[in-house]
Amino acid sequence: MHKMKAVAVHPGQPNSVHLAELTKPAIHQIPQGRGVLVKVLKVGVDATDREINDALYGNAPPGYNFLVLGHESFGIVEEVGPAVKHVKPGDYVTCTVRRPGGSIYDTIGRSDITSEETYYERGINLLHGFLTEYYVDDAEFVVKMPVGLKHLHVLAEPMSCAAKAVQQAYEAQRRLQVWDPKLAFVTGSGQIGLLTTLVLRLRGLEVYTFARGAAPNLKAEIVTGLGAHYVSTAEKSLKDVAAEVGRPDLVVEATGSSAVAFEAMEILGHNGVEVWTSITGGQKSVQVPSDNINLQWVLGNKLLLGSVNANRRHFEAGIADLALGEVTYPGVIEKILTNPVRGIENYRELIRLLVEDKHALKVYMEVANG
Ligand code: BGC
Ligand code: ZN
């Protein structure tokens, strides 16, 4: 039996990242001929991986004392079972993260909105991730990446979350019968903030994207490259900008700071929607002007929406937007992909960049060439 290297942590034990070993999987492990064997090429890491390595988040699969990391995957199909029609050997693919539990939503292909407390996510919770050499999965979860988007590889998964967050906002706003948003604020300019900026620009909104650092810097270059406005919170607050340009119809919060999530509630416009996307595994608490927010939200019929994860349809929508983004803002999106690390055995460098390098916008591992 073939062994493969994998990058893993011991959940609950801070900074326990290490090299683990897994047995190479085979397509027959997936029933009904629906298996897809994928050779892993690249895997991205994000704030969720950092929180998992800090032991704030994540659990090992039953029967294991380690969890293989990696939920942002890009690979090439090596072998498919007889029932698999939508991908073939040689195709580039990414893979969804969450697997179904037992709720009604899980049974209709919407595990991203499972109503069960327990959720199963590859590389995050109760299932091993993709930061290894090969994986197999059911065809349902393997999503084809067009060859022309190969250079955007690990962005497919974060893009799926951005696409879902915006789509959910539009779906929810059907409550208003007419909703024609013009102005959006995106708080945070990590990968989710930047990709959300792209999704909103492609829908014709004027977008203000907030970050801590003062321009010029890479984030500002990407935001302006997408035809949006970059605002450094060192220079202007959300309130300052709302006073200047008006209250936004839509806020997408993606800073990773729960304080900002509440701060943004003070500036949303009437009939607006605020979407929260940050995973905040810590224990921070802040004071908020609750009477004022409560009053404004009631008088303005405002909506607060949480959005997590993405199913294959959100991946497909996100990939379509990446393609449109490439022809609309050529060469901008790939600037997010700042820090490759080559070779699984260099996992310490991967985590060091993720944890320590404040300029590393996107850290990812090149597991194999292809
Ligand atoms: C992942 C999502 C996941 C969420 C919560 C994010 O980093 O990209 O797929 O649902 O973490 O675990
Ligand atoms: Zn993620």
Side-chain angles (χ1 to χ4, degrees), residues 338-356:
T338 49
N339 290 72
V341 173
R342 186 166 277 264
I344 282 195
E345 57 294 343
N346 291 320
Y347 66 94
R348 287 201 182 281
E349 175 63 3
L350 185 84
I351 299 299
R352 189 195 68 77
L353 285 167
L354 178 66
V355 174
E356 291 173 20

Side-chain angles (χ1 to χ4, degrees), residues 305-322:
L305 179 64
S307 179
V308 70
N309 195 252
N311 66 37
R312 74 168 298 125
R313 278 191 299 258
H314 305 121
F315 272 74
E316 286 160 1
I319 288 168
D321 271 0
L322 285 177

Side-chain angles (χ1 to χ4, degrees), residues 46 48 71-72 157:
D46 71 357
T48 302
H71 62 276
E72 300 177 351
E157 194 277 341

Side-chain angles (χ1 to χ4, degrees), residues 8-128:
V9 297
H10 297 294
Q13 215 176 293
N15 204 16
S16 62
V17 65
H18 64 280
L19 223 44
E21 214 175 58
L22 291 177
T23 304
K24 185 178 173 186
I27 50 167
H28 65 74
Q29 290 168 253
I30 308 292
Q32 294 169 341
R34 297 178 48 82
V36 180
L37 173 69
V38 178
K39 181 180 180 190
V40 178
L41 300 177
K42 294 179 171 68
V43 177
V45 287
D46 71 357
T48 302
D49 299 288
R50 195 167 54 218
E51 293 206 335
I52 293 170
N53 189 47
D54 285 345
L56 294 173
Y57 196 65
N59 290 291
Y64 289 86
N65 69 354
F66 65 89
L67 168 74
V68 173
L69 289 176
H71 62 276
E72 300 177 351
S73 71
F74 178 73
I76 187 163
V77 175
E78 279 218 344
E79 195 185 347
V80 301
V84 179
K85 303 290 176 222
H86 77 299
V87 289
K88 57 181 189 313
D91 283 348
Y92 292 106
V93 292
T94 183
C95 197
T96 68
V97 176
R98 198 174 275 193
R99 297 294 168 266
S103 82
I104 179 80
Y105 302 102
D106 297 284
T107 64
I108 61 161
R110 290 296 312 269
S111 63
D112 63 301
I113 52 167
T114 187
S115 54
E116 295 189 326
E117 288 295 323
T118 307
Y119 53 92
Y120 303 86
E121 290 182 343
R122 292 198 66 159
I124 299 175
N125 210 37
L126 303 169
L127 298 170
H128 285 317

Side-chain angles (χ1 to χ4, degrees), residues 32 87 141 186 242 269 300 365:
Q32 294 169 341
V87 289
F141 308 118
V186 175
M365 180 163 276

